[in-house]
Coordinates of all heavy atoms in Angstrom, one line a residue:
T1 N -158.6 -30.1 63.8 CA -158.6 -30.1 65.3 C -159.7 -31.0 65.7 O -160.8 -31.0 65.2 CB -158.8 -28.7 65.8 OG1 -157.9 -27.8 65.2 CG2 -158.8 -28.6 67.3
I2 N -159.4 -31.8 66.8 CA -160.4 -32.7 67.3 C -161.5 -31.9 67.9 O -161.3 -30.9 68.6 CB -159.8 -33.6 68.4 CG1 -158.7 -34.5 67.7 CG2 -160.8 -34.5 69.1 CD1 -157.9 -35.4 68.7
N3 N -162.8 -32.4 67.7 CA -164.0 -31.7 68.2 C -164.2 -30.4 67.6 O -164.9 -29.5 68.2 CB -164.0 -31.6 69.7 CG -163.9 -33.0 70.4 OD1 -164.4 -33.9 69.9 ND2 -163.3 -33.0 71.6
Q4 N -163.6 -30.1 66.4 CA -163.9 -28.8 65.8 C -163.9 -29.1 64.3 O -163.1 -29.8 63.7 CB -162.8 -27.8 66.1 CG -163.0 -26.4 65.4 CD -162.0 -25.4 65.9 OE1 -161.4 -25.5 66.9 NE2 -161.9 -24.4 65.1
E5 N -164.8 -28.4 63.6 CA -165.0 -28.6 62.2 C -165.4 -27.2 61.6 O -166.3 -26.6 62.2 CB -165.9 -29.7 61.8 CG -166.0 -30.0 60.3 CD -166.8 -31.2 60.0 OE1 -167.0 -32.1 60.9 OE2 -167.3 -31.3 58.9
T6 N -164.9 -26.9 60.4 CA -165.3 -25.7 59.8 C -166.4 -26.0 58.7 O -166.1 -26.8 57.9 CB -164.1 -24.9 59.1 OG1 -163.2 -24.6 60.1 CG2 -164.6 -23.7 58.4
L7 N -167.5 -25.4 58.8 CA -168.6 -25.5 57.8 C -168.6 -24.3 56.9 O -168.3 -23.2 57.3 CB -169.9 -25.7 58.5 CG -170.1 -26.8 59.6 CD1 -171.4 -26.8 60.2 CD2 -169.8 -28.2 58.9
Y8 N -169.0 -24.5 55.7 CA -169.2 -23.4 54.7 C -170.7 -23.2 54.5 O -171.4 -24.2 54.2 CB -168.5 -23.7 53.4 CG -167.0 -23.8 53.7 CD1 -166.4 -25.0 53.9 CD2 -166.2 -22.7 53.6 CE1 -165.0 -25.1 54.2 CE2 -164.8 -22.8 53.9 CZ -164.2 -24.0 54.1 OH -162.9 -24.1 54.4
V9 N -171.2 -22.0 54.8 CA -172.6 -21.8 54.7 C -172.9 -20.8 53.6 O -172.2 -19.7 53.5 CB -173.1 -21.2 56.1 CG1 -174.5 -20.8 56.1 CG2 -172.7 -22.1 57.2
R10 N -173.8 -21.1 52.8 CA -174.2 -20.2 51.7 C -175.5 -19.5 52.1 O -176.5 -20.2 52.3 CB -174.4 -20.9 50.4 CG -174.9 -20.0 49.3 CD -175.0 -20.8 48.0 NE -175.7 -20.0 47.0 CZ -175.4 -20.0 45.7 NH1 -174.4 -20.6 45.2 NH2 -176.1 -19.3 44.9
V11 N -175.5 -18.2 52.2 CA -176.7 -17.4 52.5 C -177.1 -16.7 51.3 O -176.4 -16.0 50.7 CB -176.3 -16.4 53.7 CG1 -177.6 -15.6 54.0 CG2 -175.7 -17.1 54.9
E12 N -178.4 -16.9 50.9 CA -178.9 -16.4 49.7 C -180.1 -15.6 49.9 O -181.0 -15.9 50.7 CB -179.2 -17.6 48.7 CG -179.6 -17.2 47.3 CD -179.7 -18.4 46.4 OE1 -178.8 -19.3 46.4 OE2 -180.7 -18.5 45.7
N13 N -180.2 -14.5 49.1 CA -181.4 -13.7 49.0 C -182.2 -14.1 47.8 O -181.8 -13.9 46.7 CB -181.1 -12.2 48.9 CG -182.3 -11.3 48.9 OD1 -183.3 -11.6 48.4 ND2 -182.1 -10.1 49.6
N14 N -183.4 -14.7 48.1 CA -184.2 -15.2 47.0 C -184.7 -14.1 46.0 O -185.0 -14.4 44.9 CB -185.4 -16.0 47.5 CG -185.0 -17.4 48.1 OD1 -183.9 -17.9 47.7 ND2 -185.7 -17.9 49.0
T15 N -184.9 -12.9 46.5 CA -185.4 -11.9 45.7 C -184.4 -11.4 44.7 O -184.6 -11.2 43.5 CB -185.9 -10.7 46.6 OG1 -186.8 -11.2 47.5 CG2 -186.5 -9.6 45.8
T16 N -183.2 -11.1 45.2 CA -182.1 -10.5 44.3 C -181.2 -11.5 43.8 O -180.3 -11.2 42.9 CB -181.3 -9.5 45.1 OG1 -180.7 -10.1 46.2 CG2 -182.2 -8.3 45.6
R17 N -181.3 -12.8 44.2 CA -180.4 -13.8 43.8 C -178.9 -13.6 44.2 O -178.0 -14.2 43.7 CB -180.5 -14.1 42.3 CG -181.8 -14.6 41.8 CD -182.0 -16.0 42.2 NE -183.1 -16.6 41.5 CZ -183.8 -17.6 42.0 NH1 -183.5 -18.1 43.1 NH2 -184.7 -18.1 41.2
C18 N -178.7 -12.6 45.1 CA -177.4 -12.4 45.7 C -177.1 -13.4 46.7 O -178.0 -13.9 47.4 CB -177.3 -11.0 46.2 SG -177.4 -9.7 45.0
Y19 N -175.8 -13.8 46.9 CA -175.5 -14.7 48.0 C -174.1 -14.4 48.5 O -173.3 -13.7 47.9 CB -175.6 -16.2 47.4 CG -174.5 -16.5 46.4 CD1 -173.3 -17.0 46.8 CD2 -174.7 -16.3 45.1 CE1 -172.3 -17.4 45.9 CE2 -173.7 -16.6 44.1 CZ -172.5 -17.2 44.6 OH -171.5 -17.5 43.7
D20 N -173.8 -15.0 49.6 CA -172.5 -14.9 50.2 C -172.2 -16.2 50.8 O -173.1 -16.9 51.3 CB -172.5 -13.8 51.3 CG -171.1 -13.4 51.7 OD1 -170.1 -13.9 51.1 OD2 -171.0 -12.7 52.7
I21 N -171.0 -16.6 50.8 CA -170.5 -17.8 51.5 C -169.6 -17.5 52.6 O -168.7 -16.7 52.5 CB -169.8 -18.8 50.5 CG1 -170.7 -19.1 49.3 CG2 -169.2 -20.0 51.2 CD1 -170.1 -20.0 48.3
V22 N -170.0 -18.0 53.8 CA -169.2 -17.7 55.0 C -168.8 -19.0 55.7 O -169.4 -20.0 55.4 CB -170.0 -16.8 56.0 CG1 -170.4 -15.4 55.4 CG2 -171.3 -17.5 56.4
T23 N -167.8 -18.9 56.5 CA -167.4 -20.1 57.3 C -168.0 -20.0 58.7 O -168.3 -18.9 59.3 CB -165.9 -20.1 57.5 OG1 -165.4 -19.0 58.1 CG2 -165.2 -20.3 56.1
L24 N -168.3 -21.1 59.2 CA -168.9 -21.3 60.6 C -168.1 -22.4 61.3 O -168.0 -23.5 60.8 CB -170.4 -21.7 60.5 CG -171.1 -22.0 61.8 CD1 -171.2 -20.7 62.6 CD2 -172.4 -22.6 61.5
D25 N -167.4 -22.0 62.4 CA -166.7 -23.0 63.2 C -167.6 -23.7 64.1 O -168.2 -23.1 65.0 CB -165.5 -22.4 63.9 CG -164.4 -21.9 63.0 OD1 -164.2 -22.5 61.9 OD2 -163.8 -20.9 63.3
L26 N -167.7 -25.0 63.9 CA -168.6 -25.8 64.8 C -167.6 -26.5 65.8 O -166.7 -27.2 65.5 CB -169.3 -26.9 64.0 CG -170.2 -27.9 64.7 CD1 -171.3 -27.1 65.4 CD2 -170.7 -28.9 63.8
I27 N -167.8 -26.1 67.1 CA -166.9 -26.6 68.1 C -167.8 -27.4 69.1 O -168.8 -26.9 69.6 CB -166.3 -25.5 68.9 CG1 -165.4 -24.7 67.9 CG2 -165.4 -26.0 70.0 CD1 -164.9 -23.4 68.5
V28 N -167.4 -28.7 69.4 CA -168.2 -29.6 70.3 C -167.3 -29.6 71.6 O -166.3 -30.2 71.6 CB -168.4 -31.0 69.7 CG1 -169.1 -31.8 70.7 CG2 -169.1 -30.9 68.4
D29 N -167.9 -29.0 72.6 CA -167.2 -29.1 73.9 C -167.5 -30.4 74.6 O -168.6 -30.9 74.5 CB -167.6 -27.9 74.8 CG -167.1 -26.6 74.3 OD1 -166.0 -26.6 73.7 OD2 -167.9 -25.6 74.4
P30 N -166.6 -31.0 75.4 CA -166.9 -32.2 76.1 C -168.0 -31.9 77.2 O -168.2 -30.8 77.7 CB -165.6 -32.5 76.8 CG -164.8 -31.3 76.9 CD -165.3 -30.5 75.7
L31 N -168.8 -33.0 77.5 CA -169.8 -32.9 78.5 C -169.2 -32.7 79.9 O -168.1 -33.2 80.1 CB -170.7 -34.2 78.5 CG -171.6 -34.4 77.3 CD1 -172.2 -35.7 77.4 CD2 -172.6 -33.3 77.2
P32 N -169.9 -32.0 80.7 CA -169.3 -31.9 82.1 C -169.5 -33.2 82.8 O -170.2 -34.1 82.4 CB -170.3 -30.8 82.8 CG -171.5 -30.7 81.9 CD -171.1 -31.2 80.5
N33 N -168.7 -33.4 83.8 CA -168.7 -34.6 84.6 C -170.1 -34.7 85.2 O -170.5 -33.9 86.0 CB -167.6 -34.6 85.7 CG -167.5 -35.9 86.4 OD1 -168.3 -36.7 86.4 ND2 -166.4 -36.1 87.0
S34 N -170.8 -35.8 85.0 CA -172.2 -36.0 85.5 C -172.3 -37.0 86.6 O -173.4 -37.3 87.0 CB -173.1 -36.4 84.3 OG -172.7 -37.6 83.8
T35 N -171.1 -37.4 87.1 CA -171.2 -38.3 88.3 C -171.8 -37.6 89.5 O -171.4 -36.5 89.8 CB -169.8 -38.8 88.6 OG1 -169.2 -39.4 87.4 CG2 -169.7 -39.8 89.7
Q36 N -172.7 -38.3 90.1 CA -173.3 -37.8 91.3 C -172.2 -37.6 92.4 O -171.5 -38.5 92.7 CB -174.4 -38.7 91.8 CG -175.2 -38.1 92.9 CD -176.1 -36.9 92.5 OE1 -176.3 -36.6 91.4 NE2 -176.6 -36.2 93.5
P37 N -172.1 -36.4 93.0 CA -171.1 -36.2 94.1 C -171.4 -37.2 95.2 O -172.5 -37.6 95.5 CB -171.3 -34.8 94.5 CG -172.0 -34.2 93.4 CD -172.8 -35.2 92.7
S38 N -170.3 -37.6 95.9 CA -170.5 -38.6 97.0 C -170.4 -37.9 98.3 O -169.7 -38.3 99.2 CB -169.4 -39.6 96.9 OG -168.1 -39.0 97.0
Y39 N -171.2 -36.9 98.5 CA -171.3 -36.3 99.8 C -172.6 -36.7 100.5 O -173.6 -37.0 99.8 CB -171.2 -34.7 99.7 CG -172.1 -34.1 98.8 CD1 -173.4 -33.7 99.1 CD2 -171.7 -33.8 97.5 CE1 -174.3 -33.1 98.2 CE2 -172.5 -33.2 96.6 CZ -173.8 -32.8 97.0 OH -174.6 -32.2 96.1
P40 N -172.7 -36.7 101.8 CA -174.0 -37.1 102.4 C -175.1 -36.1 102.1 O -174.9 -35.0 101.7 CB -173.6 -37.0 103.9 CG -172.4 -36.1 104.1 CD -171.7 -36.2 102.7
Q41 N -176.3 -36.6 102.4 CA -177.5 -35.7 102.2 C -177.3 -34.4 102.9 O -176.8 -34.4 104.1 CB -178.7 -36.5 102.6 CG -180.0 -35.7 102.5 CD -181.2 -36.6 102.9 OE1 -181.1 -37.8 103.0 NE2 -182.3 -35.9 103.1
Y42 N -177.8 -33.3 102.3 CA -177.7 -32.0 103.0 C -178.9 -31.9 103.9 O -180.0 -31.7 103.4 CB -177.6 -31.0 101.9 CG -177.4 -29.5 102.4 CD1 -176.8 -29.3 103.6 CD2 -177.7 -28.5 101.6 CE1 -176.5 -28.0 104.0 CE2 -177.4 -27.2 101.9 CZ -176.9 -26.9 103.2 OH -176.6 -25.6 103.6
S43 N -178.7 -31.9 105.2 CA -179.8 -31.8 106.1 C -179.4 -30.8 107.3 O -178.2 -30.7 107.6 CB -180.2 -33.1 106.7 OG -179.1 -33.7 107.4
L44 N -180.4 -30.2 107.8 CA -180.2 -29.3 108.9 C -181.3 -29.5 110.0 O -182.4 -30.1 109.7 CB -180.4 -27.8 108.4 CG -179.3 -27.3 107.5 CD1 -179.7 -25.9 107.0 CD2 -178.0 -27.2 108.1
C45 N -181.0 -29.2 111.2 CA -182.0 -29.3 112.3 C -182.5 -27.9 112.7 O -181.8 -26.9 112.5 CB -181.3 -29.9 113.5 SG -180.8 -31.6 113.2
D46 N -183.7 -27.9 113.1 CA -184.3 -26.6 113.6 C -183.7 -26.2 114.9 O -184.2 -26.6 116.0 CB -185.8 -26.8 113.6 CG -186.5 -25.4 114.0 OD1 -185.9 -24.4 114.0 OD2 -187.8 -25.5 114.1
L47 N -182.6 -25.5 114.9 CA -181.9 -25.2 116.1 C -182.2 -23.9 116.8 O -181.7 -23.6 117.9 CB -180.3 -25.2 115.8 CG -179.8 -26.5 115.2 CD1 -178.3 -26.4 114.9 CD2 -179.9 -27.6 116.3
D48 N -183.0 -23.1 116.2 CA -183.3 -21.8 116.8 C -184.4 -21.8 117.9 O -184.8 -20.8 118.3 CB -183.6 -20.7 115.7 CG -184.9 -21.0 115.0 OD1 -185.6 -21.9 115.4 OD2 -185.2 -20.3 114.1
Q49 N -184.8 -23.0 118.3 CA -185.8 -23.2 119.4 C -187.1 -22.7 119.1 O -188.0 -22.6 119.9 CB -185.2 -22.6 120.7 CG -183.9 -23.1 121.1 CD -183.8 -24.6 121.3 OE1 -184.7 -25.2 121.8 NE2 -182.7 -25.1 120.8
S50 N -187.4 -22.2 117.8 CA -188.7 -21.7 117.5 C -189.7 -22.9 117.2 O -190.9 -22.6 117.2 CB -188.6 -20.8 116.3 OG -188.2 -21.5 115.2
N51 N -189.2 -24.0 116.9 CA -190.0 -25.2 116.6 C -191.0 -24.9 115.5 O -192.1 -25.4 115.5 CB -190.8 -25.7 117.9 CG -189.9 -26.2 118.9 OD1 -188.9 -26.9 118.6 ND2 -190.1 -25.9 120.2
I52 N -190.5 -24.1 114.5 CA -191.4 -23.9 113.4 C -191.2 -24.9 112.3 O -191.9 -25.0 111.3 CB -191.2 -22.5 112.8 CG1 -189.7 -22.2 112.5 CG2 -191.7 -21.4 113.8 CD1 -189.4 -20.9 111.8
G53 N -190.1 -25.8 112.4 CA -190.0 -26.9 111.6 C -189.2 -26.7 110.3 O -189.3 -27.5 109.4
Y54 N -188.5 -25.6 110.2 CA -187.7 -25.4 108.9 C -186.4 -24.6 109.3 O -186.3 -24.0 110.3 CB -188.5 -24.7 107.9 CG -188.9 -23.3 108.1 CD1 -188.0 -22.2 107.8 CD2 -190.1 -22.9 108.6 CE1 -188.3 -20.9 108.0 CE2 -190.4 -21.6 108.8 CZ -189.5 -20.6 108.5 OH -189.8 -19.3 108.7
E55 N -185.5 -24.8 108.4 CA -184.2 -24.0 108.4 C -183.9 -23.5 107.0 O -184.5 -24.0 106.0 CB -183.1 -24.9 108.9 CG -182.9 -25.1 110.4 CD -182.5 -23.8 111.1 OE1 -181.7 -23.0 110.5 OE2 -183.1 -23.5 112.1
I56 N -183.0 -22.6 106.9 CA -182.6 -22.0 105.6 C -181.4 -22.8 105.1 O -180.4 -22.9 105.8 CB -182.3 -20.5 105.7 CG1 -183.6 -19.8 106.2 CG2 -181.8 -20.0 104.4 CD1 -183.3 -18.3 106.5
F57 N -181.5 -23.4 103.9 CA -180.5 -24.1 103.3 C -179.7 -23.2 102.4 O -180.2 -22.5 101.6 CB -181.0 -25.2 102.4 CG -181.5 -26.4 103.2 CD1 -182.8 -26.4 103.8 CD2 -180.8 -27.5 103.4 CE1 -183.3 -27.4 104.5 CE2 -181.2 -28.6 104.2 CZ -182.5 -28.5 104.7
D58 N -178.3 -23.2 102.5 CA -177.5 -22.3 101.7 C -176.9 -23.3 100.6 O -175.8 -23.8 100.7 CB -176.4 -21.7 102.5 CG -175.4 -20.9 101.7 OD1 -175.8 -20.6 100.5 OD2 -174.3 -20.5 102.2
L59 N -177.7 -23.4 99.5 CA -177.2 -24.3 98.4 C -175.9 -23.8 97.8 O -175.2 -24.6 97.3 CB -178.3 -24.5 97.4 CG -179.6 -25.1 97.9 CD1 -180.7 -25.2 96.8 CD2 -179.3 -26.5 98.4
A60 N -175.7 -22.5 97.8 CA -174.5 -21.9 97.1 C -173.3 -22.5 97.8 O -172.2 -22.6 97.2 CB -174.6 -20.4 97.2
S61 N -173.4 -22.9 99.1 CA -172.2 -23.4 99.8 C -171.8 -24.8 99.3 O -170.8 -25.3 99.7 CB -172.5 -23.4 101.3 OG -173.5 -24.4 101.6
K62 N -172.7 -25.4 98.6 CA -172.4 -26.8 98.1 C -172.0 -26.8 96.6 O -171.7 -27.8 96.0 CB -173.7 -27.6 98.2 CG -174.2 -27.8 99.6 CD -173.1 -28.6 100.4 CE -173.6 -28.8 101.8 NZ -172.6 -29.6 102.6
V63 N -171.8 -25.6 95.9 CA -171.5 -25.6 94.5 C -170.2 -26.3 94.3 O -170.0 -27.0 93.3 CB -171.5 -24.2 94.0 CG1 -170.9 -24.0 92.6 CG2 -172.9 -23.6 94.0
E64 N -169.2 -26.0 95.1 CA -167.8 -26.6 94.8 C -167.9 -28.1 94.9 O -167.3 -28.8 94.0 CB -166.8 -26.1 95.9 CG -165.4 -26.5 95.6 CD -164.4 -25.9 96.6 OE1 -164.6 -24.7 96.9 OE2 -163.6 -26.6 97.0
E65 N -168.7 -28.7 95.8 CA -168.9 -30.1 95.8 C -169.6 -30.7 94.6 O -169.3 -31.7 94.1 CB -169.6 -30.5 97.1 CG -168.9 -30.2 98.4 CD -169.7 -30.5 99.6 OE1 -170.1 -31.7 99.8 OE2 -170.0 -29.6 100.4
V66 N -170.6 -29.9 94.2 CA -171.4 -30.3 93.0 C -170.5 -30.4 91.8 O -170.7 -31.3 90.9 CB -172.6 -29.4 92.8 CG1 -173.3 -29.7 91.5 CG2 -173.6 -29.6 94.0
L67 N -169.6 -29.4 91.6 CA -168.8 -29.4 90.4 C -167.7 -30.4 90.4 O -167.0 -30.6 89.4 CB -168.2 -28.0 90.3 CG -169.3 -26.9 89.9 CD1 -168.6 -25.5 89.8 CD2 -170.0 -27.2 88.6
L68 N -167.4 -31.0 91.5 CA -166.4 -32.1 91.6 C -165.0 -31.6 91.0 O -164.3 -32.3 90.3 CB -166.8 -33.3 90.8 CG -168.1 -34.0 91.3 CD1 -168.5 -35.1 90.3 CD2 -167.8 -34.6 92.7
G69 N -164.7 -30.3 91.3 CA -163.4 -29.8 90.9 C -163.3 -29.3 89.5 O -162.3 -28.8 89.0
Q70 N -164.4 -29.3 88.8 CA -164.4 -28.8 87.4 C -164.4 -27.3 87.4 O -165.0 -26.7 88.3 CB -165.7 -29.4 86.7 CG -165.7 -30.8 86.6 CD -167.0 -31.3 86.0 OE1 -167.1 -31.6 84.8 NE2 -168.1 -31.4 86.8
T71 N -163.8 -26.7 86.4 CA -163.7 -25.3 86.3 C -164.4 -24.8 85.0 O -164.7 -25.6 84.1 CB -162.3 -24.8 86.3 OG1 -161.6 -25.4 85.1 CG2 -161.5 -25.1 87.6
G72 N -164.8 -23.6 85.0 CA -165.5 -23.0 83.8 C -166.9 -23.4 83.7 O -167.5 -23.4 82.6
M73 N -167.5 -23.8 84.8 CA -168.9 -24.3 84.8 C -169.7 -23.3 85.7 O -169.2 -22.6 86.5 CB -169.0 -25.7 85.5 CG -168.1 -26.7 84.9 SD -168.8 -27.3 83.4 CE -167.5 -28.5 82.9
S74 N -171.0 -23.3 85.5 CA -171.9 -22.5 86.3 C -173.0 -23.4 86.9 O -173.4 -24.3 86.2 CB -172.5 -21.3 85.6 OG -173.3 -21.8 84.5
V75 N -173.4 -23.1 88.0 CA -174.5 -23.9 88.7 C -175.7 -22.9 89.0 O -175.4 -21.8 89.5 CB -174.0 -24.6 90.0 CG1 -175.2 -25.2 90.7 CG2 -172.9 -25.6 89.7
T76 N -176.8 -23.3 88.6 CA -178.0 -22.5 88.9 C -179.1 -23.3 89.6 O -179.3 -24.5 89.2 CB -178.7 -22.0 87.5 OG1 -177.6 -21.3 86.8 CG2 -179.8 -21.0 87.8
F77 N -179.7 -22.8 90.6 CA -180.7 -23.5 91.4 C -182.1 -22.9 91.0 O -182.3 -21.7 90.8 CB -180.5 -23.3 92.9 CG -179.1 -23.9 93.3 CD1 -178.1 -23.1 93.6 CD2 -179.0 -25.2 93.5 CE1 -176.9 -23.6 94.0 CE2 -177.8 -25.8 93.9 CZ -176.7 -24.9 94.2
Y78 N -183.1 -23.8 90.9 CA -184.4 -23.4 90.6 C -185.4 -23.9 91.7 O -185.2 -25.0 92.2 CB -184.9 -24.0 89.2 CG -184.0 -23.5 88.1 CD1 -182.9 -24.2 87.7 CD2 -184.3 -22.3 87.5 CE1 -182.1 -23.7 86.6 CE2 -183.5 -21.8 86.4 CZ -182.4 -22.5 86.0 OH -181.6 -22.0 85.0
P79 N -186.4 -23.2 92.0 CA -187.4 -23.6 93.0 C -188.3 -24.8 92.6 O -188.9 -25.4 93.4 CB -188.2 -22.4 93.3 CG -188.1 -21.6 92.1 CD -186.7 -21.9 91.5
S80 N -188.4 -25.1 91.3 CA -189.2 -26.2 90.9 C -188.6 -26.8 89.6 O -187.7 -26.2 89.0 CB -190.6 -25.7 90.6 OG -190.7 -24.8 89.5
L81 N -189.1 -27.9 89.2 CA -188.6 -28.6 88.0 C -188.8 -27.7 86.8 O -188.1 -27.6 85.9 CB -189.3 -29.9 87.8 CG -188.8 -30.8 86.7 CD1 -187.4 -31.2 86.8 CD2 -189.7 -32.1 86.6

């Protein structure tokens, strides 16, 4: 099968000299699409008249755009690098 290979692994106990040979299926999944989505910058204006200079961004609302139609993926947001 393309992108899949069966490896044979020998696991040995050095004390008793017993061993077992098992199979391990190595599956290489394709990389997700890494093209930067072509949507405009996500910006908001301070519309609540409080003039405090910030708004709440709902990044979860942009997940579908970030995934570019890909399925079986997950997106996680972090507050810092």
Side-chain angles (χ1 to χ4, degrees):
T1 304
I2 296 175
N3 297 329
Q4 181 175 341
E5 185 172 338
T6 300
L7 302 176
Y8 296 91
V9 180
R10 178 178 166 139
V11 180
E12 186 173 312
N13 182 324
N14 288 334
T15 305
T16 63
R17 297 286 195 205
C18 294
Y19 69 91
D20 192 10
I21 298 176
V22 296
T23 59
L24 174 70
D25 289 329
L26 179 62
I27 301 170
V28 179
D29 292 324
L31 290 173
N33 189 342
S34 62
T35 304
Q36 187 69 11
S38 61
Y39 53 84
Q41 181 177 344
Y42 187 20
S43 61
L44 295 173
C45 295
D46 187 5
L47 298 176
D48 66 5
Q49 307 301 320
S50 65
N51 293 322
I52 55 176
Y54 68 86
E55 275 294 320
I56 297 174
F57 287 81
D58 180 13
L59 296 178
S61 70
K62 298 295 182 180
V63 169
E64 188 174 317
E65 293 175 62
V66 169
L67 290 178
L68 299 171
Q70 298 174 99
T71 59
M73 308 281 178
S74 64
V75 175
T76 307
F77 299 100
Y78 298 94
S80 66
L81 185 61

